[in-house]
Amino acid sequence: MPLDHRLTPEHEELRRTVEAFAHDVVAPKIGDLYERHEFPYEIVREMGRMGLFGLPFPEEYGGMGGDYLALGIALEELARVDSSVAITLEAGVSLGAMPLYLFGTEEQKREWLPKLCAGEVLGAFGLTEPGAGSDAGGTRTTAVRDGDEWVINGSKCFITNSGTDITGLVTVTAVTGRKADGRPEISSIIVPSGTPGFTVAAPYSKVGWNSSDTRELSFDEVRVPVANLVGQEGRGYAQFLRILDEGRIAIAALATGLAQGCVDESVKYAKERQAFGKAIGDNQAIQFKLADMETRAHMARLGWRDAASRLVAGEPFKKEAAIAKLYSSTVAVDNARDATQIHGGYGFMNEYPVARMWRDSKILEIGEGTSEVQRMLIARELGFAG
């Protein structure tokens, strides 16, 4: 089926709205917040009022009644200016709210989704551990049923949106039993913030995404109701694989935005920067570098929109999502490197957005499935055993 990459009038209106917000609201503030490693609460509140956290959810749960393409459009436009803000939205929707929407009970949806869609509360998903991420068999966190409660013990690492002042819950994967062959049965369980025994560590000191909240979590005899189980017992990891498939489209859109932002900043700089009596953009070497950067961003955009269109249409999209994530994350790193080179010494100064983009780009080849994992998934879809 050929892809019509053109946006509908509604999607184009959304794109323009978020573009203006990113340039008028995010851009003037985020540099100082980033250098101080501060979470952008005011920006997040405004995003909530705009309905961005509710984009792909039905109106009956407080959402905007949009789709995953709409979410990707918003993420791309935000990431053209800043990735910390974009990943806060991506994680809040794809990891915080989407598991409840896809697998939660009606009671869980009614309790949590309106607040999550409004941006009043952020949700997080606790999957990764020091010895377990893609390797589900390495999960050490346990949840043992005691009457009408789960008792959770263990730890998680690299969890986004898990320790802000407005974080309301973390959905945690934990071993709740063993299969006949000895492999762990993993379930997903909601742990509200502030639950006794649930400890959130100080924020990590990171290379990039410095205005995004990322923390280590620990669970010491944490008790929550049995009703906090999300979906089927023992199906937690399988459910999260579905979440990751969709999330890769969102990360691809974010990566595309960063790649395009590098083009935006570099074109502007190349027209303004004078060397040897002329703008550096008059040099063919710079023009060719910019042409390559624009080509990469354009192709990455087609990739994530194709995957999103397949998801929205109810068609298989696993391979296309992996391709989009693999390619766009590579493109983001390549464009950030070239943008820094075009800016020269100024590209190494944090006052310039490309320095922030360079610091933010590398994690895109790691988070929500490394580039190696994407290649593995693509090869499997081609018929090769893992």
Side-chain angles (χ1 to χ4, degrees):
M1 180 185 71
L3 168 67
D4 185 352
H5 67 277
R6 293 168 296 184
L7 299 180
T8 64
E10 293 77 14
H11 282 135
E12 177 58 23
E13 181 180 1
L14 170 66
R15 191 200 67 77
R16 290 181 182 276
T17 299
V18 181
E19 178 186 37
F21 173 77
H23 285 280
D24 297 343
V25 177
V26 178
K29 301 174 181 177
I30 197 61
D32 289 341
L33 292 172
Y34 191 95
E35 290 309 307
R36 297 199 301 267
H37 294 237
E38 291 185 13
F39 188 77
Y41 286 104
E42 182 180 341
I43 293 173
V44 169
R45 279 193 293 270
E46 182 62 26
M47 288 162 60
R49 288 192 289 267
M50 293 171 65
L52 299 187
F53 286 95
L55 276 173
F57 302 111
E59 295 178 8
E60 64 178 301
Y61 298 119
M64 297 294 288
D67 54 27
Y68 223 84
L69 182 60
L71 174 63
I73 290 167
L75 290 171
E76 180 179 337
E77 292 302 325
L78 289 171
R80 285 177 72 171
V81 171
D82 180 72
S83 291
S84 291
V85 172
I87 194 59
T88 298
L89 175 62
E90 191 278 333
V93 175
S94 295
L95 304 180
M98 193 60 73
L100 299 180
Y101 173 64
L102 291 179
F103 307 113
T105 64
E106 190 63 26
E107 290 74 18
Q108 291 167 348
K109 294 176 185 179
R110 296 290 177 188
E111 177 181 1
W112 291 107
L113 285 181
K115 294 179 285 188
L116 293 168
C117 289
E120 298 170 358
V121 164
L122 291 177
F125 201 102
L127 171 72
T128 306
E129 299 181 9
S134 300
D135 176 17
T139 300
R140 295 291 178 265
T141 298
T142 60
V144 178
R145 187 162 178 171
D146 181 18
D148 59 357
E149 293 181 320
W150 293 107
V151 182
I152 304 172
N153 287 281
S155 63
K156 301 290 179 178
C157 59
F158 311 138
I159 310 304
T160 305
N161 290 349
S162 58
T164 74
D165 292 345
I166 57 174
T167 299
L169 76 154
V170 179
T171 303
V172 179
T173 53
V175 177
T176 52
R178 292 284 169 179
K179 298 179 182 179
D181 59 5
R183 290 184 299 163
E185 286 188 342
I186 297 174
S187 303
S188 298
I189 302 171
I190 297 171
V191 180
S193 298
T195 301
F198 174 26
T199 303
V200 181
Y204 288 105
S205 175
K206 297 174 293 190
V207 171
W209 284 0
N210 285 341
S211 285
S212 167
D213 180 79
T214 317
R215 309 198 188 215
E216 184 176 354
L217 312 177
S218 63
F219 306 87
D220 182 11
E221 295 293 300
V222 172
R223 289 179 173 269
V224 297
V226 167
N228 282 23
L229 177 73
V230 178
Q232 288 182 265
E233 184 175 344
R235 295 286 297 168
Y237 193 75
Q239 293 166 5
F240 194 68
L241 291 179
R242 162 69 187 275
I243 297 298
L244 283 179
D245 285 339
E246 295 187 1
R248 287 175 183 127
I249 300 175
I251 292 294
L254 190 158
T256 299
L258 187 150
Q260 188 65 58
C262 289
V263 178
D264 299 341
E265 293 296 327
S266 297
V267 167
K268 180 172 65 176
Y269 184 81
K271 290 179 178 179
E272 296 173 350
R273 172 66 169 162
Q274 298 284 319
F276 303 103
K278 63 180 181 180
I280 64 171
D282 291 341
N283 297 306
Q284 193 177 64
I286 299 296
Q287 294 174 8
F288 280 11
K289 195 179 290 290
L290 289 168
D292 287 343
M293 293 168 65
E294 176 72 3
T295 299
R296 295 177 196 137
H298 177 76
M299 297 306 294
R301 182 173 301 109
L302 293 179
W304 83 253
R305 287 188 183 178
D306 176 49
S309 297
R310 293 172 187 272
L311 168 60
V312 171
E315 300 174 357
F317 66 93
K318 180 187 289 286
K319 181 180 70 174
E320 289 74 17
I323 290 172
K325 203 275 185 182
L326 172 64
Y327 182 75
S328 63
S329 60
T330 302
V331 161
V333 173
D334 290 345
N335 276 18
R337 181 188 61 245
D338 284 352
T340 303
Q341 192 70 21
I342 289 172
H343 279 71
Y346 291 108
F348 205 61
M349 301 296 109
N350 285 326
E351 64 188 276
Y352 281 79
V354 295
R356 192 166 70 241
M357 292 171 179
W358 173 239
R359 292 162 69 178
D360 290 342
S361 63
K362 181 56 190 175
I363 188 60
L364 297 169
E365 295 184 313
I366 299 171
E368 293 206 32
T370 64
S371 294
E372 290 76 14
V373 167
Q374 305 315 310
R375 291 184 172 94
M376 177 185 71
L377 293 172
I378 296 165
R380 283 181 180 175
E381 291 296 311
L382 294 175
F384 295 95

